[in-house]
Amino acid sequence: MNIIVTALVALLVTASHATQPKGLQPPPAPLRDLPWGQLNFLHSTDTHGWHAGHLQEPFYSADWGDYISFAKRMKERANEQGVDLLLIDTGDRVEGNGLYDASRPKGNYTSEIFKQQHIDVICSGNHELYKKHTADEEYLVTVPNFKGNYLASNIDIIDPGSGDLVPLAPRFRKFTTPKQGIRIVAFGFLFDFKGNYNNTVVQPVEKTIEEEWFQDAIRDEEVDLFLVVGHVAIRSREYKAIHTAIRSVKWDTPIQFFGGHTHIRDYARYDSKASALESGRYMETIGFMSIDGLTAGSSVDVTGKLEFSRRYIDNNLLSYYHHTGLNASTFHTELGRNVTRYIADARNTLQLDRVIGCAPQDYWLNRAEYPSNQSIFSWLENQVLPDITRGNATSDDDGAMQMIINTGVIRFDIFKGAFTKDTAFIVSPFTGGFKYIKGVPYEKTKQLLALLNNNGPIFQTVNELRDVDALSAQRTSRHMRSHQRQKIARGQQQQGQTILKRPHTTEKEDVNRDPKLDLYPGYTTHDDAGSDGDDTIHSSIAYYDVPSFIEAKVFSPSSSSSSSFSSTILSTPVRDNEKEPPETPETVDLIFLEFIQPYILLGLKFLGQEYDAQHDVRSFANDTSFTRLLSDWIIDHWRRDCV
């Protein structure tokens, strides 16, 4: 399907703004300008299918069509200034939103949407490699869509046609920028990922950089900049190894890294001529990076100190208008509007706005303390998991059951109001189901949660065998707090239904801030360059740690202690699972998500109970996915006439 042809037939270009029909526009907020330089970049990463933008969060409401218009207008501005602008994407474009996950086959619309944006250097994330289908689609569709610009420095794939093991895409690329003739050698890496399907091979980064092709590439004498893009955390050993390898032969050539994977805004300085940018997640952020002081290989002669600058752009139309100097009537391009319409049509076809229940309140991943009545994990362990367990009893004799899940299975907050088909995929897009082991001594299983949550030898052992990416919301928050250093307002009360809440004016005044404009909660990033990286000046949001695992215990499967939802909020949160029943069982049927099976089996082994994955582990609830079970619970327990 050609997006331009189909959209033009149906589109009436009369709207004053684009964005999706149900998208919300943000209020005016104080903005910092972009620090344009000699070489400039726009960076997207970890979009996970959020090409429609955030329909319930105004500051992130622009869609992929709007971004296409933004990139076009920024290119025009670069041309006017005689500077260069390159677009970068660092992977994880799939899994995490109904626009991708609800179609059959998955991604039926998103590859067509995504390819409409010109991207100069693009690479794979780990989510493109989890399943055979997604890896094959990457090789057969996405790589050709960005032919010559897609790089895979350390990924091979079994060609579906020939059966040969071949590079997913070219290992590196050398090119020259159109305006100034800046000579660039670019690479595209993936971190040392171990959870890929067996039709792909991810070679460790430290092994890859020893290969002859890489050593030859970094010894090129006609290079003005090394550009390393990757689905790699920018404060990782993988990027440290690449930086060290390049510096061992080119001690003063500028290097610019772009990363991803950890879903945060972050900027790092490796040395005076090397820096790295990571630009968030879920189309909340478009990263902007500029470099001044490069010596180009052609006619440009720039002397002076090399300067790196960054900005994290809130993905909304007001930011886009501000940074391009345009407005609703002059900003949008024909292609951008067509893509916006195509996204809306795809959402309608997939029925993503179909309401399956009405959330009675906000439930937060990290914006509310755990345990509490506002925590999504307290809600799960006290209401949802017990009912899922009772509804799929593993025995007919009212046997005791214990369910353990990893908190990483939940990817996003639930906002008060309509919970739609789309929301189900946003909150938990994973297709894996549950397994269980029958008759495990309760004396052992009651120790399991604490053992799993102490991040001890189990993690060290299992991490050698597989990726632990989606394991825990806690691991992301630790990285955020130690490296990004988000401002955390301990104990701050959450008053609103979305990120657009009552204005706050208690933040320290910014020199660029318009005093007439209110501050709204949002990103307040602190990185290696300071605290002025966010384009929109926000007040801070509370951020709380959560455990890696939670559990629910059901010792009387036929009972219904939490089978119906009450909207009454208790003044003191009660965590049901902290209470031991008067009579504890001798054994329980231990239920767990398939993804965490290696951790469960190893944890039991540490506790003296050894089980065989082939003979002792059984399917639970007919292998129904957690996404489906969660949706069914909401259909049964939440009313659908949202007010």
Side-chain angles (χ1 to χ4, degrees):
M1 182 184 298
N2 188 304
I3 199 171
I4 301 174
V5 174
T6 56
L8 276 175
V9 172
L11 182 63
L12 295 175
V13 189
T14 57
S16 63
H17 57 78
T19 307
Q20 289 303 295
K22 293 194 175 184
L24 304 174
Q25 293 302 315
L31 288 161
R32 301 180 176 101
D33 293 333
L34 299 181
W36 282 83
Q38 178 190 358
L39 177 61
N40 307 276
F41 302 88
L42 293 177
H43 178 215
S44 57
T45 189
D46 294 88
T47 49
H48 286 286
W50 287 73
H51 302 108
H54 291 236
L55 304 185
Q56 295 177 289
E57 296 183 286
F59 283 102
Y60 316 117
S61 58
D63 64 27
W64 195 253
D66 299 322
Y67 180 42
I68 288 172
S69 294
F70 180 59
K72 173 69 172 175
R73 299 311 188 196
M74 291 285 282
K75 285 272 190 181
E76 293 170 353
R77 185 168 179 180
N79 290 337
E80 291 171 1
Q81 298 180 33
V83 299
D84 289 294
L85 175 69
L86 303 176
L87 268 66
I88 309 294
D89 184 83
T90 50
D92 269 13
R93 295 170 286 275
V94 305
E95 297 180 342
N97 189 285
L99 190 59
Y100 175 87
D101 291 287
S103 67
R104 294 294 179 270
K106 289 180 181 292
N108 192 42
Y109 299 97
T110 52
S111 60
E112 182 71 20
I113 293 165
F114 196 85
K115 79 173 186 180
Q116 304 306 318
Q117 179 70 284
H118 172 81
I119 298 174
D120 295 283
V121 185
I122 181 173
C123 68
S124 176
N126 56 297
H127 275 260
E128 281 82 7
L129 306 183
Y130 270 118
K131 297 180 176 64
K132 183 180 187 301
H133 165 73
T134 51
D136 285 344
E137 284 293 298
E138 198 72 4
Y139 178 64
L140 297 173
V141 178
T142 309
V143 171
N145 283 346
F146 295 94
K147 187 175 182 180
N149 296 356
Y150 196 119
L151 302 179
S153 298
N154 64 329
I155 304 173
D156 293 326
I157 188 169
I158 297 174
D159 187 298
S162 68
D164 297 330
L165 186 67
V166 298
L168 177 68
R171 299 300 194 200
F172 73 104
R173 175 190 176 205
K174 184 175 182 180
F175 64 99
T176 302
T177 61
K179 281 293 181 182
Q180 301 166 90
I182 299 169
R183 301 165 301 179
I184 298 175
V185 170
F187 306 96
F189 281 93
L190 175 63
F191 71 94
D192 294 347
F193 178 50
K194 300 178 179 69
N196 51 302
Y197 195 81
N198 63 13
N199 67 327
T200 58
V201 175
V202 180
Q203 182 167 253
V205 170
E206 291 185 61
K207 184 177 179 181
T208 300
I209 61 179
E210 295 174 352
E211 293 186 345
E212 184 178 359
W213 69 265
F214 182 84
Q215 291 295 321
D216 289 344
I218 63 175
R219 284 172 168 79
D220 191 325
E221 294 299 326
E222 298 182 344
V223 178
D224 301 312
L225 175 74
F226 287 107
L227 176 61
V228 182
V229 310
H231 196 71
V232 183
I234 64 173
R235 301 179 190 271
S236 62
R237 59 179 176 80
E238 290 97 335
Y239 266 5
K240 181 179 180 181
I242 295 170
H243 174 255
T244 300
I246 295 174
R247 281 288 173 257
S248 69
V249 296
K250 291 292 178 67
W251 64 272
D252 66 343
T253 302
I255 314 171
Q256 178 61 47
F257 291 77
F258 287 93
H261 184 58
T262 55
H263 292 188
I264 63 172
R265 295 179 175 186
D266 197 13
Y267 172 78
R269 292 299 301 266
Y270 296 165
D271 60 44
S272 63
K273 295 187 176 182
S275 76
L277 184 74
E278 186 171 348
S279 303
R281 61 172 193 175
Y282 306 159
M283 276 197 73
E284 293 172 349
T285 306
I286 299 298
F288 179 86
M289 187 77 210
S290 66
I291 308 175
D292 255 334
L294 291 168
T295 300
S298 59
S299 58
V300 179
D301 182 17
V302 179
T303 58
K305 182 181 177 182
L306 197 68
E307 293 185 3
F308 297 86
S309 301
R310 88 287 182 243
R311 192 73 79 223
Y312 310 107
I313 301 170
D314 276 10
N315 180 46
N316 64 70
L317 286 176
L318 291 188
S319 285
Y320 286 175
Y321 296 160
H322 176 87
H323 297 312
T324 57
L326 301 172
N327 56 42
S329 62
T330 59
F331 170 80
H332 299 282
T333 64
E334 184 177 66
L335 177 59
R337 287 189 184 278
N338 292 340
V339 172
T340 291
R341 179 57 178 264
Y342 182 86
I343 293 170
D345 289 346
R347 287 183 55 83
N348 287 335
T349 300
L350 295 170
Q351 298 182 311
L352 295 184
D353 292 325
R354 177 169 57 85
V355 176
I356 64 175
C358 299
Q361 64 173 75
D362 296 328
Y363 292 102
W364 304 108
L365 272 78
N366 298 100
R367 292 192 220 174
E369 194 167 8
Y370 170 85
S372 74
N373 292 310
Q374 289 74 43
S375 169
I376 198 168
F377 301 112
S378 294
W379 167 68
L380 284 171
E381 66 182 3
N382 291 337
Q383 297 185 49
V384 180
L385 299 185
D387 284 346
I388 290 175
T389 303
R390 293 186 191 96
N392 299 274
T394 53
S395 62
D396 298 325
D397 56 359
D398 279 1
M401 295 178 287
Q402 180 177 345
M403 177 180 282
I404 296 179
I405 67 169
N406 58 302
T407 54
V409 74
I410 300 296
R411 301 277 282 189
F412 208 69
D413 307 306
I414 295 176
F415 298 120
K416 180 179 179 180
F419 189 102
T420 65
K421 179 181 178 182
D422 191 24
T423 312
F425 290 107
I426 288 171
V427 171
S428 184
F430 304 107
T431 58
F434 285 89
K435 303 293 182 182
Y436 79 99
I437 302 172
K438 193 167 184 64
V440 184
Y442 179 65
E443 191 63 31
K444 304 296 184 181
T445 67
K446 72 179 183 180
Q447 305 175 57
L448 190 54
L449 187 68
L451 181 64
L452 291 170
N453 277 329
N454 75 4
N455 297 318
I458 293 177
F459 283 94
Q460 297 170 18
T461 303
V462 179
N463 290 2
E464 296 300 316
L465 304 176
R466 64 175 303 170
D467 168 59
V468 293
D469 218 27
L471 187 65
S472 167
Q474 170 72 8
R475 289 181 169 262
T476 298
S477 68
R478 277 207 192 101
H479 182 98
M480 184 180 294
R481 292 187 65 191
S482 61
H483 292 311
Q484 190 186 17
R485 302 191 300 281
Q486 293 281 70
K487 286 184 180 177
I488 299 173
R490 286 284 181 188
Q492 178 179 327
Q493 295 298 309
Q494 302 300 314
Q495 298 295 336
Q497 298 177 7
T498 71
I499 199 167
L500 175 55
K501 296 181 282 190
R502 179 184 300 176
H504 291 251
T505 56
T506 57
E507 290 291 296
K508 183 179 179 180
E509 295 295 321
D510 188 279
V511 293
N512 295 307
R513 185 192 160 194
D514 184 340
K516 298 187 294 295
L517 297 177
D518 289 320
L519 297 187
Y520 292 86
Y523 278 99
T524 53
T525 310
H526 292 232
D527 56 31
D528 284 2
S531 58
D532 62 349
D534 303 301
D535 81 321
T536 305
I537 303 173
H538 287 288
S539 61
S540 58
I541 294 175
Y543 199 99
Y544 297 94
D545 286 343
V546 297
S548 298
F549 299 87
I550 60 173
E551 68 177 10
K553 299 173 183 176
V554 177
F555 293 159
S556 298
S558 59
S559 67
S560 56
S561 61
S562 61
S563 58
S564 60
F565 180 82
S566 171
S567 59
T568 302
I569 303 300
L570 302 177
S571 58
T572 303
V574 177
R575 183 178 173 190
D576 295 345
N577 294 309
E578 290 179 344
K579 297 181 178 181
E580 288 291 339
E583 296 182 8
T584 57
E586 291 186 9
T587 64
V588 296
D589 290 350
L590 182 63
I591 307 160
F592 47 86
L593 283 167
E594 181 180 13
F595 181 81
I596 64 172
Q597 180 173 309
Y599 301 90
I600 296 294
L601 294 180
L602 192 57
L604 290 171
K605 186 176 181 179
F606 270 74
L607 294 169
Q609 296 293 129
E610 193 158 356
Y611 295 93
D612 181 76
Q614 296 294 324
H615 299 98
D616 298 319
V617 178
R618 310 180 187 186
S619 294
F620 175 80
N622 297 316
D623 286 324
T624 304
S625 71
F626 178 74
T627 305
R628 179 72 262 170
L629 291 170
L630 178 63
S631 298
D632 289 344
W633 188 94
I634 288 169
I635 290 170
D636 291 341
H637 292 81
W638 286 353
R639 59 187 177 82
R640 296 183 212 178
D641 53 333
C642 301
V643 178

